[in-house]
Amino acid sequence: MSDEQGCPVFCQAALAARDRMVEQLCALPPIATALDAIIERFGTDKVAEVTGRTRRLIIGSDGRQKLQSRTPRANLAETQAFMNGDKRILVFSDAGGTGRSYHADLASKNQARRVHFLLEPGWRADAAIQGLGRTNRTNQASAPLFRPVTTDVRGERRFISTIARRLDSLGALTRGQRQTGGQNLFDPADNLESTYAKDALNRWFGLLFQGKLEAVELARFQDLTGLRIEGPDGGMVDDLPTIQRWLNRILALPIGLQNGIFDEFLGLVEARIDAARAAGTLDLGLETIAVESFEVLSDTLLRTDSVSGATTHLLEIEIARALKPLTLERLDQLEAASGYRHRFLCNTRSGRAALQVPARSLLADEGSRIVRYELVRPLKRGYLTADQLAESSWEAVDEPTFRAAWQTEVDEALSSLKRERLHLATGLLLPVWDKLPADHVRVSRISARDGRSLLGREVPLHAVGEICSALGLDARPDIAPESLVAAVLACGRAMPVRARETLMLKRSLVNGAQRLELTGWSAAWLDWYKAQGCFTEIIRFQTRLFIPLEGAAGILAKLVEQIG
């Protein structure tokens, strides 16, 4: 409002509130750097500092700050104190990470597992590898646990993305394989310059132009970032900004706005990555599978190179893995740290327990949000959309029931080894790479506790026969009935069964339940199939033949034995 002379009238209460706020802000202590905050919190007797600082402020015995001078030999003494276990916390910088080792060396007194917090990733991937390599070296008692640290400002994903991309690139150059530099430290969704992210950005621009985004409108986005999406003719320009340019402009936006934009963009990225993972086409590079032991059950020679004599083999191996379930104590710690609202669930069919926590919503290509939840279970984590959760057998239960079911599953996991069979194509793979299934790309290193290892590309069970046929092999590896049943139930693809007739075993959904169905049989042998344990059901005036889930492997074994 204005007075009679047209001068603005100020609210005295508002001015007083402003002055009080400014007074309180000026009275706040300065925000310490991460290094100074750690030293102030834990003390110099517990923190070893290996940096290039020649002076630092510390808290004296009288509680007052004082300036302490540091000589170049201080870094050597601090390193020795940490390796001897006299100081349990180590903070080092680029200057202190050159030519030194801080791993759990078998020759040092301090052999505790290192938990390496990456506070400032920086832009240089080689510097990040050099720093991470200080705590992960040979002759160590245990491998370190790396923890990249970021705030809730989504723009910081820009820096993590750069490190993730360059670590993968550097790993491909130095070792000839991706993920070597990163050691699977980052998730595929962390790389915001991947093909999935670029495709998601193009779709994000389309949704922005159509006005289907909630975080920002087209006109405001163009005014704040200076990026032109709309052309002079009113249509969307063909030459859209690159993802690097878009990411840099997002960093200049207010924090609340950039968080909203990133949430919608990451929803598109994760939707594409989840779809690729479900289809088996997500290329994660080389993955190391640590097992207790493995046994080669069969070895099929696929090809012998006529020049070098190198061979390509298809191995069927059985691996035994020790399960490491999430205990209730650790679950309670995660609940307290996350602060998320959660629900206790139990599966009415299997009796398994799961903790339901909120997850980032996915963004469909048409702009609609897909609400989803994360289910934390003792042995794995997974995501379900709200519709999938409503249609599933997961039901809310009270806490005592949940904890009892959780503990039962943990006890079962700790009491036995998990055994599974898989096929691995090893040896000279490049000449037969195009014969391997394109919809399942997974390169693995099977590493046993006794030091043995196998490196190759995993082959799904349904593709074993196709590969042998493509390479002109008459003899195909025999597939155990247990593996056949497990593969059909897991992947849902029909697989051949060599019985009296050419049969196909497939997974069918009948009355809301999964069944094993045989197709290709003739009516003349129907009574014989039923005598072996199969059963029939007339559905839509058609007789269909099924194998009971319980004891399916034994029934299949009977069918195969009667070949004639």
Side-chain angles (χ1 to χ4, degrees):
M1 60 182 295
S2 303
D3 58 12
E4 298 176 353
Q5 288 77 27
C7 299
V9 177
F10 296 98
C11 176
Q12 298 302 314
L15 292 176
R18 182 198 63 184
D19 294 339
R20 287 196 301 271
M21 183 182 66
V22 173
E23 182 183 27
Q24 290 293 330
L25 289 175
C26 294
L28 292 175
I31 300 176
T33 63
L35 176 58
D36 291 331
I38 293 174
I39 293 177
E40 182 179 351
R41 170 65 177 83
F42 297 101
T44 56
D45 57 334
K46 296 181 180 179
V47 179
E49 177 190 345
V50 184
T51 63
R53 296 200 302 182
T54 58
R55 293 184 300 175
R56 64 179 181 179
L57 283 173
I58 63 173
I59 305 297
S61 57
D62 56 355
R64 302 179 62 180
Q65 285 187 335
K66 65 178 183 180
L67 189 64
Q68 183 187 60
S69 299
R70 291 167 52 84
T71 64
R73 294 184 59 84
N75 286 345
L76 182 60
E78 294 282 70
T79 300
Q80 195 61 38
F82 174 74
M83 298 302 288
N84 289 339
D86 300 330
K87 296 185 177 183
R88 306 292 293 178
I89 302 173
L90 170 69
V91 182
F92 70 93
S93 63
D94 288 344
T98 303
R100 300 182 187 275
S101 297
Y102 309 118
H103 63 295
D105 196 335
L106 295 175
S108 64
K109 295 181 180 179
N110 183 10
Q111 297 182 10
R113 185 182 189 183
R114 275 43 170 170
V115 182
H116 191 151
F117 293 90
L118 188 62
L119 292 181
E120 298 176 356
W123 289 81
R124 294 176 53 201
D126 53 348
I129 293 177
Q130 196 270 345
L132 297 176
R134 299 301 99 192
T135 54
N136 187 19
R137 308 179 78 81
T138 57
N139 196 44
Q140 60 186 3
S142 60
L145 181 64
F146 292 124
R147 294 293 193 190
V149 179
T150 60
T151 65
D152 58 354
V153 179
R154 300 295 192 274
E156 286 190 324
R157 292 288 293 268
R158 174 69 172 95
F159 302 98
I160 295 295
S161 168
T162 302
I163 295 298
R165 177 177 58 84
R166 295 184 181 179
L167 282 176
D168 286 348
S169 300
L170 190 57
L173 293 174
T174 56
R175 298 285 186 87
Q177 62 188 45
R178 288 172 301 105
Q179 293 291 354
T180 302
Q183 291 294 330
N184 292 325
L185 177 62
F186 299 99
D187 188 83
D190 291 326
N191 188 354
L192 301 185
E193 300 175 41
S194 63
T195 55
Y196 303 107
K198 292 177 181 178
D199 181 65
L201 180 62
N202 289 333
R203 188 56 199 156
W204 186 89
F205 281 133
L207 295 176
L208 175 67
F209 184 78
Q210 298 170 13
K212 294 184 178 181
L213 296 179
E214 300 177 1
V216 66
E217 297 178 351
L218 176 61
R220 189 186 180 199
F221 177 80
Q222 293 185 140
D223 292 340
L224 291 176
T225 62
L227 299 176
R228 308 308 302 176
I229 309 301
E230 185 178 10
D233 58 349
M236 190 167 65
V237 299
D238 295 331
D239 188 16
L240 293 171
T242 63
I243 193 166
Q244 293 86 355
R245 188 180 181 193
W246 179 81
L247 287 169
N248 290 334
R249 297 295 176 92
I250 293 297
L251 289 175
L253 299 180
I255 293 177
L257 180 58
Q258 69 173 264
N259 285 357
I261 291 176
F262 259 91
D263 281 339
E264 292 180 332
F265 170 66
L266 291 177
L268 289 170
V269 175
E270 292 183 2
R272 281 154 174 75
I273 291 177
D274 287 350
R277 182 180 284 113
T281 58
L282 181 62
D283 190 359
L284 297 176
L286 179 65
E287 296 181 275
T288 299
I289 303 176
V291 300
E292 295 296 311
S293 62
F294 66 81
E295 179 184 357
V296 178
L297 302 179
S298 64
D299 185 349
T300 303
L301 179 62
L302 296 180
R303 181 182 181 275
T304 302
D305 189 78
S306 58
V307 178
S308 64
T311 57
T312 306
H313 297 260
L314 181 63
L315 305 179
E316 182 184 6
I317 62 176
E318 183 181 66
I319 62 176
R321 284 195 281 186
L323 301 177
K324 299 178 181 179
L326 182 65
T327 62
L328 282 172
E329 293 77 13
R330 179 58 180 161
L331 181 67
D332 294 338
Q333 296 175 4
L334 294 177
E335 287 184 66
S338 64
Y340 292 140
R341 294 177 300 168
H342 55 266
R343 291 178 62 201
F344 301 119
L345 303 178
C346 268
N347 194 295
T348 55
R349 289 187 176 181
S350 63
R352 303 300 188 183
L355 185 71
Q356 174 190 327
V357 297
R360 178 184 289 109
S361 299
L362 300 179
L363 199 63
D365 285 350
E366 65 274 8
S368 60
R369 286 187 173 271
I370 303 175
V371 180
R372 65 173 182 167
Y373 301 96
E374 181 181 12
L375 296 188
V376 181
R377 301 176 60 184
L379 293 174
K380 63 180 180 179
R381 293 170 177 247
Y383 293 93
L384 287 180
T385 64
D387 294 338
Q388 291 173 338
L389 186 61
E391 296 174 357
S392 67
S393 300
W394 293 104
E395 300 290 345
V397 295
D398 55 14
E399 185 173 357
T401 304
F402 165 81
R403 298 181 74 89
W406 187 285
Q407 188 61 46
T408 300
E409 189 169 353
V410 170
D411 294 340
E412 292 176 358
L414 294 175
S415 61
S416 62
L417 297 176
K418 180 182 179 181
R419 297 185 179 275
E420 53 185 321
R421 294 186 179 185
L422 56 89
H423 288 80
L424 201 68
T426 64
L428 186 61
L429 293 181
L430 190 57
V432 300
W433 192 266
D434 58 338
K435 305 296 190 299
L436 301 177
D439 59 348
H440 187 90
V441 183
R442 185 176 180 181
V443 180
S444 303
R445 176 186 286 115
I446 311 297
S447 179
R449 184 178 291 273
D450 58 5
R452 296 181 302 148
S453 65
L454 290 173
L455 176 63
R457 180 171 162 181
E458 290 190 28
V459 178
L461 191 60
H462 64 80
V464 171
E466 300 173 3
I467 295 174
C468 293
S469 299
L471 294 174
L473 299 180
D474 296 331
R476 301 184 182 183
D478 292 329
I479 301 176
E482 297 84 358
S483 302
L484 189 63
V485 170
V488 171
L489 290 176
C491 69
R493 298 187 59 166
M495 298 187 62
V497 177
R498 293 186 293 178
R500 285 179 175 268
E501 303 172 287
T502 303
L503 303 177
M504 296 295 291
L505 179 67
K506 69 176 186 176
R507 187 182 69 187
S508 301
L509 184 65
V510 181
N511 295 330
Q514 299 289 351
R515 293 188 184 180
L516 288 172
E517 182 177 3
L518 285 174
T519 60
W521 50 274
S522 61
W525 291 98
L526 182 59
D527 292 338
W528 181 83
Y529 287 121
K530 294 174 66 176
Q532 305 306 315
C534 302
F535 69 95
T536 60
E537 187 171 339
I538 300 176
I539 302 175
R540 295 182 179 179
F541 306 102
Q542 182 180 5
T543 301
R544 296 170 63 177
L545 185 64
F546 300 96
I547 297 179
L549 291 179
E550 186 175 354
I555 296 175
L556 272 181
K558 293 180 182 178
L559 299 181
V560 174
E561 289 174 359
Q562 299 297 327
I563 296 178

